């Protein structure tokens, strides 16, 4: 089987509400999404998506995905998409780094492999749990009541996991936010306090020690792994790392040095499923739990994350983030798994299990063949 055509689509995905993180330092209103369709000489088609969370969140750039695909297209055409690691190596050889640009092609290859072998991606990853994964919300940073209001909205849809954005130079305000949300947390709810790199080492120490009695988990409480390793020494709260978990080497360092208790694996950030599944295995070998997410995007991106999440035993998976409910546009109405009663559940549909409506995507911005 050979890849015969790469069609690239560009779509803006507006957020329902403006979104702030890092204590209000960063604001987002629309996501720049790239969709990729791979055609093959066997008549099987695969779909991928790459949607960074804006271009100020992590080093990823919407137009950069399309530029990266232009550079890699000739190296990818003609390859067998079922041999995902050969495709991965070809992309790494012709464009070192730029993992976020490779992720949609990797995703489309996994979609084709699943269709070719008549299995859902989660089964190709080793076998899926039959139960779904708790779907997490992403709670924009703001006043304590504003944040509880968002959590309450999502509770109506059954969500039980929430990533509440904290982090700012006003440490007293962060302590107030966390205590207020914890006072109102239901016993079955999973709440992660996501700092998004906003704290200095001093601020992290002040806030985390002030709420140490609550035993809550903090995500990315510092800018770098070196910062988090030092924060770790002077605090006791569990720590998750996502934004600086980029390569397999990062995963190995975090695991061996005990820098974090949870991996937040972002599929677009790390370069797709082929690379993310190795991080999953490192995590399980070291007693590290996981939170899986796309980075952002439509039901396609959420579904890819849900496949990886459902290949992880329940004792190791915390939740997977569902971004689609934050968008005003659905690119695949009636297709794919959706959040139901707070869970996303992958069924036995071969491949990814969701196909975008090409009438909604519009014409491709470029086709390589
Ligand atoms: Mg995070």
């Amino acid at each position: 089987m050979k890849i015969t055509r790469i069609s690239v689509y560009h779509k803006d995905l507006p957020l329902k509400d403006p979104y702030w993180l890092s204590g209000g330092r960063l604001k987002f209103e629309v996501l720049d999404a790239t969709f990729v369709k791979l055609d093959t000489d066997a008549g099987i088609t695969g779909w991928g998506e790459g949607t960074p969370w804006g271009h100020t969140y992590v080093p990823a750039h919407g137009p950069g995905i399309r530029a990266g695909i232009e550079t890699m297209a000739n190296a990818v055409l003609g390859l067998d998409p079922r041999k995902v690691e050969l495709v991965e190596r070809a992309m790494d050889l012709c464009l070192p780094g730029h993992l976020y640009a490779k992720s949609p092609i990797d995703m489309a290859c996994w979609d084709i492999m699943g269709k070719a072998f008549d299995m859902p991606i989660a089964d190709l990853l080793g076998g899926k749990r039959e139960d779904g994964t708790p779907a997490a919300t992403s709670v924009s940073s703001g006043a304590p009541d504003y944040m509880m209001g968002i959590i309450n909205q999502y509770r109506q849809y059954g969500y039980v996991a929430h990533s509440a954005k904290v982090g700012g130079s006003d440490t007293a305000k962060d302590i107030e936010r966390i205590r207020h949300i914890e006072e109102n947390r239901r016993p079955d709810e999973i709440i992660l306090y996501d700092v998004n790199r906003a704290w200095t080492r001093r601020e992290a120490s002040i806030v985390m020690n002030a709420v140490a009695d609550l035993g809550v988990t903090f995500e990315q409480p510092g800018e770098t792994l070196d910062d988090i390793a030092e924060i770790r020494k002077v605090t006791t709260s569990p720590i998750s790392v996502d934004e600086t978990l980029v390569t397999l080497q990062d995963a190995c360092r975090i695991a061996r040095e005990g820098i974090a208790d949870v991996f937040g694996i972002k599929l677009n950030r790390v370069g797709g499923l082929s690379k993310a599944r190795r991080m999953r295995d490192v995590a399980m070998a070291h007693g590290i739990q996981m939170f899986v997410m796309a980075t952002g995007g439509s039901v396609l991106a959420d579904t890819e994350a849900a496949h990886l999440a459902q290949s992880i035993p329940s004792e190791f998976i915390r939740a997977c983030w569902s971004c689609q409910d934050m968008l005003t546009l659905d690119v695949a109405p009636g297709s794919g798994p959706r959040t139901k009663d707070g869970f996303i559940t992958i069924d036995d549909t071969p491949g990814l299990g969701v196909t975008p409506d090409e009438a909604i995507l519009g014409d491709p911005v470029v086709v390589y063949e």
Side-chain angles (χ1 to χ4, degrees), residues 9-11 37 47 329-333 355-364:
Y9 303 78
H10 171 217
K11 199 79 197 165
K37 180 170 74 167
W47 281 93
L329 180 70
D330 184 352
V331 300
T355 305
D357 182 337
E358 291 182 60
I360 295 174
L361 294 186
D363 292 332

Side-chain angles (χ1 to χ4, degrees), residues 57 165 194 196 219 242-243 266:
Y57 170 52
K165 307 301 170 185
D194 193 352
N196 296 112
E219 187 161 86
D242 62 344
E243 288 144 18
K266 295 176 135 59

Side-chain angles (χ1 to χ4, degrees), residues 37-60:
K37 180 170 74 167
L38 298 185
D39 289 310
T40 63
D41 59 0
I44 301 177
T45 292
W47 281 93
E49 176 182 357
T51 306
W53 190 256
H55 58 267
T56 52
Y57 170 52
V58 291

Side-chain angles (χ1 to χ4, degrees), residues 79-121:
L79 297 180
D80 186 335
R82 298 168 301 178
K83 301 178 182 177
V84 286
E85 295 192 358
L86 297 189
V87 177
E88 179 192 9
R89 280 177 226 153
M91 290 195 288
D92 284 343
L93 189 64
C94 82
L95 183 66
H98 299 273
L99 297 167
Y100 63 96
K102 297 166 180 170
S103 155
I105 290 177
D106 180 78
M107 178 174 167
C109 288
W110 279 91
D111 187 22
I112 290 169
M113 181 159 57
K115 289 169 179 166
F117 295 126
D118 200 29
M119 294 170 87
I121 291 172

